[in-house]
Amino acid sequence: MDDETELRKLRWRCRRGMRELDQLLERWLDRQWRQSPTAERAVFLRLLDSEDDRLWRWFLGHETPDDVEIATLIERIRALPA
């Protein structure tokens, strides 16, 4: 699969039905995916497997994921400028 096809599929997976959540995930995808190491990409894919309500609570800071790698990535995503 070429990079553009993979990005289109990932962009679709970033659509969560909540504009704010969509924007956070897509911002990271657009700005960080291409230069991210394979391990970080794998963490992002695991993040996308999470349920929407759980993602929203994590991004709002109401809960912290048990997975330290996901928690770290969420902080990095939240820190990206709008």
Side-chain angles (χ1 to χ4, degrees):
M1 173 175 4
D2 65 46
D3 286 345
E4 290 307 313
T5 302
E6 182 178 26
L7 281 172
R8 278 195 304 275
K9 288 181 178 191
L10 287 170
R11 190 167 318 286
W12 182 255
R13 287 189 64 197
C14 286
R15 292 179 159 211
R16 309 309 279 219
M18 284 187 244
R19 180 180 299 174
E20 297 85 354
L21 197 51
D22 294 356
Q23 290 172 342
L24 285 166
L25 296 170
E26 288 177 4
R27 185 178 304 137
W28 190 88
L29 183 66
D30 291 339
R31 297 180 187 177
Q32 302 296 316
W33 176 263
R34 291 181 195 269
Q35 65 264 20
S36 291
T38 304
E40 188 172 48
R41 287 180 177 196
V43 174
F44 185 71
L45 294 175
R46 287 198 332 259
L47 179 67
L48 291 180
D49 287 338
S50 303
E51 297 173 6
D52 295 351
D53 59 332
R54 178 168 285 168
L55 285 172
W56 188 240
R57 289 191 304 267
W58 290 344
F59 277 105
L60 285 178
H62 295 303
E63 291 180 10
T64 304
D66 294 333
D67 185 321
V68 174
E69 291 177 319
I70 287 179
T72 301
L73 182 58
I74 286 171
E75 289 307 313
R76 290 193 60 220
I77 293 171
R78 289 173 66 194
L80 286 173

